[in-house]
Structure formats: structure tokens, C-alpha cells
Amino acid sequence: MSWLRALKHTARSGMTVERARLEPLVAVRAAAGLAIVIGFGLAFLGPGAAASSAFGAFMAAIASFQQSWRPRPVLALASGLTLAVSTFVGYLVGSSTTGLFLLLLAVWTFAAGLLWAAGPTAGIIASGNVAIMLVTVTLPTSVAQAAGHAAVIAAGGVVQALLIVLFPVRRWGDRRDALADALAAEADYARRLRQDPAASFDPVPLMKARDAAAVTARQARRRPAELHGARGLAERIRPVLASLADPAVGAPAQGQARERVRELLAAAGTVLDAAAHAIRHGEPVRLPAPALSVLKAPDLPDLLGGAPLRAARRLAALLDDVLETAAPGTGPGSGRIADPAESRLRPSLARLAPLVVRAVRAELRPGSPILRHAVRVTAVACAGYLIGHALPFGHAYWAPMTSVMVMRPDFTQTWSRAVARFGGTLVGVGAATAIVQLAQPGMYLSGALAVLSAGLMYALMRTGYAVAQVFVSAYVVFLLGMGGVRWDQTVPDRIALTLIGGVLAMVAYAVYPAWETPRLRGRLADWLAAVGRYAAAVLGQYADPAGARRADVREALLAARDARIAWQEALARAAGEPVRHRGLSRAAADGAGEALAALGRHAMLWEAHLPDRTHAPVPGAAELARALREATEAGAEAVRERRVPQWDGVRGLLPDGNAPETAVLRGAGVQLLEALDEVAEALRP
């Protein structure tokens, strides 16, 4: 993609307004917390303290809106307390010399950039703290006042956390949605299999549901019953659906048996949709009677036999379990698991700290995109601060604040957010300025307008960054007006400095980029090695049914899913970069991705028919598993080195003949080898 096309693409994505599910009650609660701290500050502490507390409550509410499985009160408290510390330390340093504050800004910004290694939530909160610190350090005039401002900032976070605890909105709603989305994705998959037995399945909903299933010890004791168990059932249903639909291991492609399979798949989709609706809304399952009658039809043995019949019966049993699990409990404490030791526990913040340090240390290496982002955002923030001081505008913090807020580790988000921030700032400042000119609001009315702007931002922030910036800009104008600052003293300066900050961020990424395109081969190689280990783990179960660990297959499957998602995300980021493919064209990437997805699907089909522990070992399975693992690891290295992978080691171990004891192994090997050959063909120059 050329630079001109990349600019057009990022500009369009930045200004796009998306339809998103709104949460008005959550937005009202966040705005109410902001109104409480602003009103208290104006009544008892004055406009300056009110502005500080407003910033604390504003950022705490934004933190609670992040896509994180941490408890929302914890996010609000973490945001408010860390912002308070940043403000106090920033004032102590900034009150002495500009050079010392610049050094602190560099250290703070570099640390915030590195925290993206811990995930987007930590990176967003840290970046927001740096940006708001640049504003709040200018409010106090003494150390005592700085301590007071830090205290009211922390109080703003505490107020938001208390409101979340006292007035919960749709308790467990995000986890209900994650589990319901996973079941709904399974339902859609079942319906697509009716027409396309080789239909693909996106594992993202299942992975998201798995993340949502990790809870704190307190949550484990209070989790509703319907939120436990259904995710594991969904994981087990997916390979059964695929094996029932696939003609190679399921029913024939034509005939009465195939029609019966289509009826079973349609009924499965109906059951899974009903369970998803019940879990999402906490209601009893409402299931049409025909769906259950199809799943338990007495004529199944007459139409299906062997593996298809076993799969049909297995599917019926799993769907019965889903319906039983999806039945709503009796309220908090009704979860089937009361002992936190038996749940997937999320580490506390104290135990999370060493994990974050380890993740950050892993990124301190040449070529790390996180390290490059930290260096880039640090340089831009310091340059923006110096430029702001050199210009006659005043308000020197606007330029670095804009840069810190828009910069992300990848190109597309940084450039699109820069365009969106400037466009949103123009609209928001223009609208707020017109209101100020016409209404001439006083202190309390300005505070009320600031709360209204923030509430609209909370309600619409997920529709697009440009929309959010419209109301953020209006919020700042009204908040400054609350302290008696005239609009013409800040608005033109803010627009100019916002433009400077956005341009600095965009230029910095062009000068010191971290392109995803050159790393695509590495991502593809990681996926190839991971899916090879998964397929080898499945074959290992056939080699030693009595002694094999079923957990090995599960761990390998999760690793393969992680690698696949990393590849898909990298491919999406690379699509908008103004960089040549450098040895991996879009067609080659698509072809190799489809082949690897097919390889994983074949392994999943054989996983659905794993032998029980009393079954005799399949001759040759151990050797084929070892050869497959070694071949995919060598193939991954070949992909990284821009060579075409070879699979002679796997091809030479395929058993000959049609002996019953080797038929299963040969069928699996042929399917896996076909997918591997397609990978090699896609990568052939």
C-alpha cells in the first residue's frame, strides 16, 4: 500500500462512526460520580480543586469502561490513585526547574509506553495518567496545595469506585455476554455446516469466553451457576459438530443419513441459540419442542451407524448438559463451584506486579515494537513540551498531551487517532464555544455543562474515537470556563497545539516505525509450529491411549489458537501499512493461512474421536507424531528464512495398505499431509 492510500485508509478509519450497543445506565452512573465531585469541589474547595477532582473522576470512569476482566471498581481506584501520585510527584519536580520536569516527563512517558506489554488496559491507563498529569501540575501553587489536589484526584477515583459497588448495572453482564457470544458462535457454526461440511470457525469467541471465566477468589464464590460449565461444554461441542458434518469421518455426502445430519445440526443451532439467550439475559431456557425431538429421535440407529451415530449421541448428551447448565441460578452464591481453589483464579494486583515486570523486561530487546513505541512516545512528548514552551500560545502541555493520547504501538491506530482527535477537537471546541458565547454560563452552569459533555462521551465512546473527542473537547472548554478562563484565551491555542501534537505523533511513526509487515513471516511460522504441536499431541493420544495426558492436547490447542489470533491481528495491521510485503504477498499469506486453518481442523476432527484408555495403541502413531512435530518445527524455521518447507519426513511414514489397525492412522496422515502441502504451495515463489 502506498503512503497516499495509507493516509486515506487511516483517515477514513479514524473518522468512522460505528454502531455499537450503548450502555446509558453505566454512562449516567459515571456522569453522576463526576457531578458529585465537581459539585462538592465548587461548594467547599473552589474551582481549582473542583477541576482536579473532576480530572480524577473523569479518568477513573474512563478506566472502568476499558475491555478488561478486572473488577470495575479496581480499575477506577487504580486510575485515580496512580493519577494522584503522578500529579503530586510532577508538581514537586516541575516547581523547581523546567529541565528537571522534562526529565521526569521522559521517565514517566517511557514507563507508560512499556506498560503496553502488560496489555492495552494498562497502557491506556498509564498513557492517560501522563496526559492528565501535564494539565493538573499547573493547577496548584504550593506543595500543600499540590498535596490537596492529589487528594481530591484520588477522591474522584474513590467516588467512581463506590458508585460502581453501590449501584451495579447488569451485574456479571460482560461475562454473560462473552459466554453467550461463544454459544451463539457455535450455533452459527452448526447451521453453516449444514451447507458446507468444511466451514471455518473463528475461535475468538471461545478464547474471549475463556478469559472471562478467570475470576478473583471473591467472584468465584459469588458467580451465578449458569456462568460455570457452559464454556467447557462449548469447547467439547465444536469438534463433535465438525466430525458429524465431515463426510470423511461422519455421514456420507448424500442420502438419508446426510439429511438426518442436517436436521441434527439445525436442532443443535436452535438449542445453542436458546442457551445463549438464556445466559445473556439470566432467564429460563425457552426451547422449541421439535429441536429436542430431533436430537433424541428413535430412528437414529436406522439412519446412522458407527462414528456418525456415536457423534450424534455425543452431541445430544452435550446439548442436554448445556441446557441444564444454562438454567439460571438463585442469585449470588449459587455457583456450582464454591471453592476458589477449583476455579480459574485471576491473580490479585499484588501478585500481578511480578508478571507485569516480567512482561516489560521481555520487551527490552532490539526490534521490540513495545520498546520502539516507548522510545517514540517519549521523544514526541518531550519535543512537544519544548515546542509548546517556545511558542507564544501558553498552555504548553496541550501538544504533548495530544501526542501521548493518540500514540499507539501500531501505525494504523496512531495515524487514525491523530486525524480523529483533530477533527473531533474542531467540532467539539466549535460547539462548546458557540454555547459559551450565547449563554455566558457561570461557574455552576459551566460545571453542569461539563458533566453533560462527559456523560455523552461515556455513552458514545464506543462508537468511534472522533465522536468521543467531540465531547472531550467540549468537556475541557466548559471545565476551564468553570474557573473563569475566557474561551478566547484557550480555544485557538488548544486547536493549534492539538494539531502540532498530532503531526508530531504521525511524523514520529514515519521516522521511527515498528512495521508489522516484515514480521508476518515470523507470525506465520509461529502458527505453523503451534498447530503442528497440536496435531502431534492428538496423534500421541492414539499412540498411547492409556498413558497419554489429555491435558497435553488442551494446552497445545490453546497455544495454536493464540498463534492463530496473533497471525490474524498482525495481518490486519499490516494491511494498512505503507510497506511492501517483503517476500510474503497478500495472496501467499491468505493461502498459507487457509491451509493452516485446515490443518488445525483436521487435527480437531481426529481429536473428536480419541480412543478411550482401554483401546490398544495404534501402530505407527508415535513415529508419525514425532515426525510431524519435527517437520513443522523445521518448516517454521524455513518460513522465517524465506524457504519453502518440505514434508518428506511425514510423507515417508504414512502406512501402506488398508489394514484395519492402520486405516485410522493413514486417513489422519493423508489429511494432515494435504494441508501441509497446501502451505508449501502457497509459499512457493
Side-chain angles (χ1 to χ4, degrees), residues 319-328 336:
L319 291 175
D320 279 342
D321 291 341
V322 168
L323 294 177
E324 180 183 353
T325 303
R336 285 187 172 84

Side-chain angles (χ1 to χ4, degrees), residues 23-93:
E23 297 180 327
L25 293 180
V26 179
V28 169
R29 183 181 63 194
L34 187 61
I36 290 172
V37 297
I38 288 180
F40 181 86
L42 289 177
F44 300 101
L45 303 175
S52 290
S53 61
F55 279 120
F58 180 76
M59 292 304 297
I62 289 181
S64 68
F65 276 89
Q66 299 306 312
Q67 295 182 356
S68 172
W69 301 115
R70 287 277 163 195
R72 302 298 170 183
V74 173
L75 295 177
L77 283 175
S79 176
L81 295 178
T82 53
L83 179 57
V85 172
S86 299
T87 297
F88 185 67
V89 174
Y91 176 80
L92 292 181
V93 175

Side-chain angles (χ1 to χ4, degrees), residues 423-441 445-446 449-454 456 469-482 485-488 490-492 494-495:
T425 297
L426 284 178
V427 175
V429 166
T433 299
I435 293 174
V436 170
Q437 286 287 86
L438 293 174
Q440 298 293 324
L445 183 55
S446 294
L449 291 172
V451 170
L452 177 61
S453 300
L456 291 173
Q469 285 307 304
V470 170
F471 297 106
V472 169
S473 301
Y475 168 77
V476 174
V477 170
F478 293 133
L479 202 65
L480 294 173
M482 188 176 68
V485 180
R486 290 172 47 197
W487 72 272
D488 56 353
T490 61
V491 170
R494 183 173 189 271
I495 292 176

Side-chain angles (χ1 to χ4, degrees), residues 72 78 126 131 156 255 302 313 390 408 426 464 471 489 517 560:
R72 302 298 170 183
D302 297 333
R313 288 173 172 170
R408 293 293 185 266
L426 284 178
F471 297 106
Q489 294 175 334
T517 301

Side-chain angles (χ1 to χ4, degrees), residues 446-683:
S446 294
L449 291 172
V451 170
L452 177 61
S453 300
L456 291 173
M457 191 277 294
Y458 294 140
L460 301 174
M461 65 185 302
R462 289 179 179 166
T463 62
Y465 190 68
V467 176
Q469 285 307 304
V470 170
F471 297 106
V472 169
S473 301
Y475 168 77
V476 174
V477 170
F478 293 133
L479 202 65
L480 294 173
M482 188 176 68
V485 180
R486 290 172 47 197
W487 72 272
D488 56 353
Q489 294 175 334
T490 61
V491 170
D493 302 347
R494 183 173 189 271
I495 292 176
L497 291 171
T498 297
L499 178 60
I500 291 173
V503 169
L504 284 175
M506 298 167 76
V507 170
Y509 209 107
V511 173
Y512 189 60
W515 303 123
E516 193 68 48
T517 301
R519 292 194 293 271
L520 284 180
R521 278 189 168 269
R523 301 284 192 184
L524 184 63
D526 293 341
W527 186 16
L528 172 59
V531 76
R533 287 190 292 270
Y534 167 52
V538 173
L539 288 175
Q541 303 289 316
Y542 288 86
D544 184 15
R549 293 178 65 250
R550 299 298 171 118
D552 292 342
V553 175
R554 177 64 176 164
E555 292 169 2
L557 172 61
L558 294 177
R561 284 180 179 174
D562 289 337
R564 176 179 179 175
I565 296 304
W567 158 257
Q568 291 175 339
E569 292 176 348
L571 196 63
R573 288 193 294 267
E577 293 179 348
V579 184
R580 293 183 61 187
H581 59 75
R582 300 186 185 182
L584 187 66
S585 66
R586 183 74 187 197
D590 291 341
E594 292 175 0
L596 284 180
L599 178 62
R601 182 178 176 278
H602 293 322
M604 179 192 66
L605 289 176
W606 293 105
E607 182 191 353
H609 295 279
L610 288 178
D612 57 38
R613 297 191 180 278
T614 61
H615 195 279
V618 176
E623 292 77 8
L624 183 58
R626 182 170 57 254
L628 180 62
R629 183 181 295 106
E630 293 173 354
T632 50
E633 289 176 355
E637 190 63 28
V639 171
R640 293 188 180 95
E641 296 175 357
R642 302 190 180 187
R643 294 185 286 110
V644 178
Q646 303 294 326
W647 318 113
D648 295 337
V650 177
R651 187 173 284 105
L653 284 178
L654 290 184
D656 295 327
N658 296 317
E661 64 272 12
T662 61
V664 172
L665 185 62
R666 179 171 179 78
V670 169
Q671 287 184 328
L672 297 176
L673 188 58
E674 287 177 354
L676 290 173
D677 285 338
E678 290 176 4
V679 173
E681 186 62 30
L683 297 176

